[in-house]
Amino acid sequence: MKRIYAYFFRGLITFLPVGLTVYALYLFVTWIESSAMRVLRPFTGDFYLPGLGIVLGTALILVLGFLVSQPFMKRALGWVELPFTNLPLVKSIYSSLKSFADYFAPHERDVQQVVLLKKPDSDLSIIGLVTRQSLADLPLDATTQQHVAVYLPMGYMIGGYTVFVPRDWVQVLDMSVEEAMRSSLTAWMGTPKNPPAP
C-alpha cells in the first residue's frame, strides 16, 4: 500500500502543474475568443476565424503598450490610476501588484540580478534580487547611499524584505530573475534540472 500511495502522489504531483497550466490557458483563450466574438459579431456577422481573438488581444496590448510609452500619456494614466491609488484597501493591493509587475518590465534604470547575500562574518547565506543599484536619490546617510537594495522573497510569496547592504556582501549568480522567483515560490523545494552527481 505504501508503494501504491507513493505512485499515486508522484503521479498527482506530476499531473497538477501541467493540468492547472493547461486549464488556465484554456480559460484565458476561451474568454478572449468569446469577448472578441461579441465585439466583432455586429461587424462581421457569422464570419469568424478561430484564433482571431488572440490576434486582436495581442494587437490591443501592443497598442496600449505603445500609448503608455508616450510622454503625453503619463498625465492621463495618472488620472486613470487615481481611484486605485487613493482608496485605502485598493491602494495597498494595486500598489503592490504594480510594483511587482514594474520590476519585471524592461527598463534601463537598474540591472535586475539574482545574488547570493552573505555577511562576511557569518556563514548564513540567502538568495535575493537586486532591485536598485543606486540609492543616491533616497534620504539616507552618505554611507548607506553607496549600498545596493536587495529584495529577499519569502516562501510561497507571502511577503518579503528589502535590505540595503554593501556591494561586497552580494555575489551575482548565473540565474534568471524568473527562475529565482519560481524557486522562492516553493521555498526552493523543487528538484534541480541537472542535479550534481553523487
Side-chain angles (χ1 to χ4, degrees), residues 148-164:
V148 293
V150 180
Y151 173 68
L152 307 175
M154 298 174 64
Y156 303 101
M157 300 303 294
I158 60 174
Y161 301 93
T162 300
V163 295
F164 301 148

Side-chain angles (χ1 to χ4, degrees), residues 89-189:
L89 181 61
V90 177
K91 176 182 179 181
S92 300
I93 299 174
Y94 178 77
S95 299
S96 300
L97 292 175
K98 189 173 187 302
S99 298
F100 185 78
D102 286 344
Y103 181 75
F104 291 96
H107 52 75
E108 300 178 357
R109 185 185 62 185
D110 292 314
V111 179
Q112 300 172 359
Q113 293 176 328
V114 180
V115 296
L116 183 69
L117 173 60
K118 184 175 182 180
K119 191 177 179 181
D121 58 350
S122 174
D123 292 331
L124 178 67
S125 301
I126 187 169
I127 289 182
L129 307 172
V130 173
T131 56
R132 293 189 63 144
Q133 295 282 353
S134 174
L135 308 177
D137 60 330
L138 298 181
L140 304 171
D141 59 87
T143 301
T144 308
Q145 286 182 345
Q146 303 302 316
H147 294 179
V148 293
V150 180
Y151 173 68
L152 307 175
M154 298 174 64
Y156 303 101
M157 300 303 294
I158 60 174
Y161 301 93
T162 300
V163 295
F164 301 148
V165 298
R167 295 178 183 274
D168 57 358
W169 285 20
V170 298
Q171 173 189 348
V172 179
L173 300 179
D174 184 17
M175 179 184 294
S176 67
V177 174
E178 292 78 11
E179 184 180 355
M181 294 300 291
R182 183 170 61 248
S183 299
S184 297
L185 178 63
T186 58
W188 297 89
M189 291 192 299

